[in-house]
Amino acid sequence: MPILRYIGRRVLFVIPQLFGIILVSFFLVKLIPGDPAVMMLGPTASTQSIAELRDKLGLSKPLITQFGRYLHDVARGDLGTSWQTTRPVTEDLFQRFPATLELITLGLLVALAIGFPLGVAAARRRRGPIRKFADYYGLLAGALPDFWLALVLIYVFYTALGWIPAPLGRIDMAVVPPPTVTGSLVIDSLIAGNLAALASSLGHLLLPVLTLGLINAGPILKMTQSTVERTLSSDFIRYAEMCGLPRRVVLRQAVRAALPSVLTIVSVLYGFLIGGAVLVEIVFSWGGAGQYAVQGVLNADVNPVLGFVVFSAVLSLVIYLVVDLLYFALDPRMRG
Amino acid sequence: MSGEDLILDVADLWVAFPSYRAAPVHALKGVDLQIAPGAMIGLVGESGSGKTTLARAIMGLVPPPGVVERGRVLFAGKDLRRMDAEARRHLLGREIAMVIPNPRAELNPVIPVGRQIANVVFHHLGVSRKEATGVALDMLRAVRIPDPERRLNAYPHELSGGMAQRVVIAIALACSPKLVISDDATSGLDVTVQAQVLDLLRSMVQEKGAATLFITRDVAITAHFCTRIAVIYAGQLVEMADTRAFFARPAHPYSIMLLAAFSHNPALRARWTRAAGEIADAAGEGCAFAQRCVRRQPRCLTDIPTLRAIAPGHLARCHYPVEERQ
């Protein structure tokens, strides 16, 4: 089975890839000025207590020793402790990553639902209102910052119209959240059969998902449009026309041929949004992984930052593996 | 022969490609071409002479921004240019079929070839998917592809060039068309494979009783293949004759140049070809070929020649057609 061998090889490569990623990010994070010991003890701490804490944390040892110790811990699945939350980073991340993933997965689905059909429709005609709309939309989505759009949406739908719950977190304070199974509140509410929690979490998801969807539909639209346009003038589509196949069949073949490119842009966006959705997370007080990492950077809390990097790296590698498998399914030429 | 009996009757066909801030470039300048049922017409010309544009214009698929400026294309008495696009689409693939030159690029790379044949049958003949697949299998057998049951599920990139060309022939003939247009269909193949595929194409169209417009750069191929030969140069037919007459007494200097280019006689080639340095850039007012013509006279640079009969059934667009045998 060539596919199984391919997966095996890819998984094997994950180890050196992870090592490289940890190596680079460890030293980059250490370059950031700021002493965790000072931050932890506060401005009134004595020099002596700071030195003692540095010794305890291993910060007085050479960097390379610190790196070796960190690697050793990571290999055992221990990403250290965050001094801000005083909890193991792994635990924190397992709590926060599902929040981010739920947000960006739904956001990208909405982006696909907007960008893909619009891109196909725009590719079919070089002129006309649809094409104009698609052009302006692509420009606007590329130019607008997502947090700004989030604020506008909050103003319109919460402040002015009052249609949605307050943009604070993932679920109403008053609603009892379902027991955690997957970490996605929507799925967990469904599993628990908790309709109140489901309604509340969907209400809270609405605006951030719409924000990410509207903004990220831009690149998906552009990629779909240019690829479908190119395939529509390709040799095999011209031949399909010469064979007198119906227009919808020809269009379907062109769209089908454009799928790998759309898949590529979606996977790139997904990897990017794991950390890139942080501004939207902050606006909606989402408590996601990006927010956690930024808090870590701002407070010289090294372990959450590195833990986030490791988590996102593993996730990205998984995503790219899945995408490569989808390429296999989509294009018989890859199977050879 | 009256227009009613012809399979294809092209009259005064002009195709223009607009160019930016300049006069449009004419790819076809008043082409007349008649094809009787079952006839095999060879259309010979160098690249850029308008061969492919003619094929596409007949099908109503001139690549944008090209436009058919004027002229008439009658297919079995029906005016293709006045027909709406949907009605014309129903003719393409079913009554007018195309054999293309580069099948591994032009077949859909993600659909098994059996499906591609069956698709055309399914959409044109109104049969079930299952019957269409049956026809596809029969066609793969008819074009003598070994192990057709297995090849039904093969993708284009898994086939050799000759095999893919056979698939294209199978697609073209699956609906028993009345006219097959073969556009440089074998140019991408090895010489030995080329001969096999040509023989196959000929026997298949004869079996189905289709007329053929056989477009090629290789004049030698037409000798074995066609009943009548037309030579196109710079968007105009310059000579047209029955195959025997054409090879015995080619009348237009360009035809002779083409024939000489394929001959193994260097002296003949040299006699009919102007050296590159002697060829002027701009085409003048007169004959389009005048700049490259070894027999050019003063009149050729001022007067445009018309396509006229120099013998019964033998037309040439030349003020001074060649009369002696070569």
Side-chain angles (χ1 to χ4, degrees):
Chain A
M1 238 352 232
I3 290 190
L4 285 181
R5 217 173 36 227
Y6 178 78
I7 296 177
R9 219 176 46 215
R10 283 289 298 266
V11 170
L12 221 71
F13 268 112
V14 164
I15 293 162
Q17 276 170 322
L18 268 184
F19 176 78
I21 290 167
I22 293 175
L23 178 81
V24 172
S25 47
F26 183 86
F27 288 101
L28 276 181
V29 169
K30 286 289 180 186
L31 279 179
I32 302 173
D35 189 337
V38 176
M39 294 291 242
M40 284 164 84
L41 293 172
T44 55
S46 67
T47 332
Q48 199 205 341
S49 53
I50 291 177
E52 273 170 14
L53 184 59
R54 285 180 59 89
D55 276 345
K56 213 179 118 205
L57 294 172
L59 293 174
S60 46
K61 296 210 176 76
L63 265 187
I64 191 78
T65 318
Q66 293 181 38
F67 179 64
R69 212 180 97 187
Y70 186 74
L71 267 188
H72 180 251
D73 290 346
V74 170
R76 288 181 308 152
D78 177 9
L79 294 173
T81 315
S82 158
W83 69 259
Q84 295 180 89
T85 64
T86 66
R87 280 152 43 95
V89 167
T90 331
E91 245 173 63
D92 278 345
L93 284 174
F94 269 118
Q95 197 179 24
R96 284 153 210 257
F97 247 89
T100 296
L101 291 186
E102 182 174 45
L103 178 65
I104 64 175
T105 306
L106 291 173
L108 276 181
L109 285 178
V110 169
L112 259 180
I114 300 170
F116 187 67
L118 198 55
V120 172
R124 290 180 66 180
R125 304 191 198 296
R126 285 179 189 283
R127 286 180 197 80
I130 294 181
R131 175 63 175 250
K132 261 231 167 73
F133 178 73
D135 283 348
Y136 284 127
Y137 187 92
L139 197 68
L140 220 66
L144 290 181
D146 48 6
F147 65 87
W148 182 83
L149 181 66
L151 291 173
V152 171
L153 289 176
I154 289 173
Y155 178 75
V156 173
F157 291 103
Y158 173 66
T159 314
L161 297 172
W163 288 357
I164 59 128
L168 296 167
R170 303 166 66 196
I171 196 161
D172 270 336
M173 299 287 195
V175 176
V176 182
T180 305
V181 182
T182 62
S184 150
L185 283 180
V186 174
I187 298 174
D188 288 351
S189 309
L190 283 174
I191 292 174
N194 186 343
L195 289 183
L198 179 68
S200 176
S201 56
L202 282 178
H204 281 80
L205 271 169
L206 195 66
L207 283 197
V209 162
L210 197 61
T211 306
L212 288 179
L214 284 171
I215 294 290
N216 290 290
I220 294 177
L221 160 76
K222 281 287 162 201
M223 180 61 102
T224 308
Q225 181 184 331
S226 70
T227 318
V228 172
E229 220 163 67
R230 204 172 48 233
T231 42
L232 275 177
S233 59
S234 70
D235 287 345
F236 70 88
I237 290 299
R238 206 181 54 197
Y239 178 58
E241 284 173 348
M242 287 178 188
C243 288
L245 293 179
R247 268 189 71 88
R248 67 190 152 74
V249 175
V250 175
L251 185 71
R252 200 162 62 214
Q253 290 191 1
V255 170
R256 168 76 174 69
L259 285 185
S261 305
V262 177
L263 184 62
T264 304
I265 188 82
V266 169
S267 68
V268 169
L269 284 174
Y270 203 95
F272 164 75
L273 281 180
I274 292 173
V278 64
L279 291 177
V280 174
E281 287 185 356
I282 288 172
V283 170
F284 290 96
S285 313
W286 201 249
Q291 232 176 321
Y292 182 63
V294 169
Q295 282 302 319
V297 172
L298 293 178
N299 294 300
D301 200 357
V302 178
N303 287 336
V305 181
L306 285 175
F308 172 78
V309 170
V310 171
F311 259 61
S312 344
V314 170
L315 203 64
S316 297
L317 295 173
V318 169
I319 291 167
Y320 288 136
L321 180 63
V322 169
V323 165
D324 280 348
L325 295 180
L326 286 175
Y327 285 146
F328 266 117
L330 283 176
D331 191 342
R333 285 167 295 185
M334 306 262 307
R335 289 171 216 158
Chain B
M1 188 178 282
S2 79
E4 287 294 297
D5 300 331
L6 292 170
I7 266 300
L8 185 72
D9 185 2
V10 176
D12 195 30
L13 191 63
W14 289 70
V15 171
F17 285 85
S19 55
Y20 184 64
R21 281 192 190 169
V25 177
H26 284 98
L28 294 181
K29 299 179 215 168
V31 170
D32 296 272
L33 185 71
Q34 284 82 38
I35 302 181
M40 288 193 163
I41 308 285
L43 182 68
V44 187
E46 56 196 14
S47 356
S49 58
K51 309 179 301 261
T52 300
T53 306
L54 177 58
R56 311 269 323 254
I58 290 170
M59 293 188 292
L61 292 173
V62 175
V67 283
V68 177
E69 271 188 344
R70 59 188 157 103
R72 198 186 59 189
V73 180
L74 292 184
F75 174 76
K78 286 170 283 196
D79 192 335
L80 290 184
R81 287 197 60 208
R82 297 225 176 118
M83 206 176 262
D84 72 88
E86 193 55 18
R88 195 169 51 210
R89 179 182 73 67
H90 280 293
L91 288 181
L92 296 184
R94 189 177 63 183
E95 308 223 321
I96 305 175
M98 186 79 180
V99 181
I100 45 163
N102 196 2
R104 275 196 292 182
E106 302 189 59
L107 289 169
N108 191 319
V110 300
I111 302 179
V113 292
R115 269 279 306 271
Q116 301 198 43
I117 305 174
N119 263 344
V120 175
V121 175
F122 174 76
H123 285 293
H124 283 310
L125 301 185
V127 297
S128 70
R129 279 267 170 213
K130 209 174 160 205
E131 286 170 287
T133 308
V135 175
L137 184 59
D138 289 345
M139 288 311 295
L140 283 183
R141 226 172 252 137
V143 295
R144 286 171 234 144
I145 285 183
D147 202 357
E149 285 88 354
R150 204 162 59 83
R151 292 282 194 265
L152 218 47
N153 296 315
Y155 290 96
H157 71 278
E158 295 169 335
L159 302 179
S160 67
M163 206 89 90
Q165 195 64 60
R166 284 163 196 266
V167 170
V168 167
I169 293 174
I171 292 176
L173 293 163
C175 300
S176 302
K178 295 199 180 92
L179 174 66
V180 174
I181 301 174
S182 154
D183 184 6
D184 243 346
T186 55
S187 57
L189 302 178
D190 290 342
V191 181
T192 46
V193 182
Q194 194 174 13
Q196 290 169 9
V197 171
L198 280 175
D199 282 342
L200 175 75
L201 179 59
R202 178 168 55 184
S203 65
M204 294 278 292
V205 293
Q206 277 170 350
E207 193 182 306
K208 300 265 182 184
T212 313
L213 178 61
F214 189 83
I215 299 173
T216 181
R217 282 172 294 183
D218 185 349
V219 67
I221 290 180
T222 58
H224 309 287
F225 205 71
C226 303
T227 50
R228 199 165 160 77
I229 288 168
V231 179
I232 188 168
Y233 180 80
Q236 289 179 318
L237 294 190
V238 293
E239 181 162 5
M240 195 157 162
D242 289 342
T243 305
R244 195 178 293 264
F246 179 79
F247 282 95
R249 287 181 175 277
H252 196 284
Y254 177 63
S255 310
I256 300 172
M257 192 184 112
L258 273 183
L259 288 167
F262 282 96
S263 79
H264 296 286
N265 184 340
L268 187 68
R269 217 177 314 174
R271 184 143 56 86
W272 287 97
T273 312
R274 262 185 195 270
E278 292 179 54
I279 301 170
D281 292 338
E285 288 291 299
C287 172
F289 184 62
Q291 300 298 341
R292 290 169 68 181
C293 184
V294 290
R295 288 159 54 91
R296 183 175 66 211
Q297 304 290 324
R299 185 187 166 199
C300 300
L301 295 171
T302 53
D303 289 1
I304 299 174
T306 55
L307 192 64
R308 62 194 171 92
I310 54 165
H314 194 154
L315 308 172
R317 188 187 295 276
C318 184
H319 295 304
Y320 308 99
V322 182
E323 276 159 26
E324 66 271 26
R325 274 178 176 265
Q326 295 305 314

